[in-house]
Amino acid sequence: MDADAPHHSAVSVSLVSPAPRFPPAPGESGARSEFAACYEQEIVRLTRFVMHLGAAPHEAADIAQSAFAVAFEQWESIQHPRAWLRTVAQRKMQAMRYPREELTDQLPDLPGGRCPVDAVELSEEEARVYEALSWLPDRQREVMAWTLDGYKPQEIARLMKVTPEAVRQNLHRGRTLLKRALLSPASGGAR
């Protein structure tokens, strides 16, 4: 997998099972249409992944768009787009940690496109889960985000460059803290 864009360096990471490439859109061929198919399939998922990392919806949408902008420039060299995008987004999230500002206006839709924030409407329960995720230590939140996005501990370990045991331990501790937070009366959980 390639490294984050600001440095434009490349690092190769092999996944347990290779991620499939995205099929070109009907009537199109080549890297551009493959990128478009990936964007269509992954933009909302990537936005949710970044929200799992603790970003507000508008921040997550911005980071996801930024990760895709970098991917577009390097598309033909990316071996595992799904994991690559999440790694870039995770690094951008880490680099961007700052006090959150409340936006007062809606983000404008892109011409001819759709804003991923519109597709990320949260139920009350989902909002509680995202808030509880934000209380986790960084490493536990990162492992939970990868897990919630469908990755297995072995894959997460390779992508995060840690041992599978460390992933499982952070996953266990994160789940324990989430359960405690979500079931506490203060968070509106079961009593």
Side-chain angles (χ1 to χ4, degrees), residues 52 123-136 144 148 173-191:
H52 288 146
S123 69
E124 186 176 323
E125 183 178 338
E126 284 177 308
R128 284 184 46 242
V129 170
Y130 281 109
E131 183 177 348
L133 281 168
S134 73
W135 299 332
L136 294 178
M144 290 299 297
L148 290 168
R173 289 178 179 169
R175 285 176 174 159
T176 300
L177 289 174
L178 279 175
K179 182 178 178 181
R180 195 176 307 151
L182 292 171
L183 294 178
S184 75
S187 73
R191 295 176 190 188

Side-chain angles (χ1 to χ4, degrees), residues 47 50-51 54-63 93 100-102 117:
T47 301
V50 177
M51 289 172 64
H58 288 88
E59 290 172 330
D62 187 45
I63 291 170
M93 175 67 184
R100 295 191 180 119
E101 297 177 25
E102 291 295 321
V117 174

Side-chain angles (χ1 to χ4, degrees), residues 87-160:
T87 300
V88 170
Q90 180 179 353
R91 289 179 181 158
K92 287 185 173 294
M93 175 67 184
Q94 289 169 342
M96 184 180 141
R97 295 201 190 254
Y98 60 86
R100 295 191 180 119
E101 297 177 25
E102 291 295 321
L103 298 177
T104 56
D105 296 326
Q106 289 285 355
L107 287 179
D109 284 336
L110 298 175
R114 70 179 202 281
C115 179
V117 174
D118 294 339
V120 185
E121 294 296 322
L122 300 178
S123 69
E124 186 176 323
E125 183 178 338
E126 284 177 308
R128 284 184 46 242
V129 170
Y130 281 109
E131 183 177 348
L133 281 168
S134 73
W135 299 332
L136 294 178
D138 288 347
R139 184 60 75 173
Q140 291 174 15
R141 184 173 50 249
E142 291 165 1
V143 169
M144 290 299 297
W146 283 100
T147 301
L148 290 168
D149 216 46
Y151 285 81
K152 305 276 186 247
Q154 286 289 103
E155 294 171 311
I156 297 168
R158 286 195 177 116
L159 294 166
M160 293 180 70

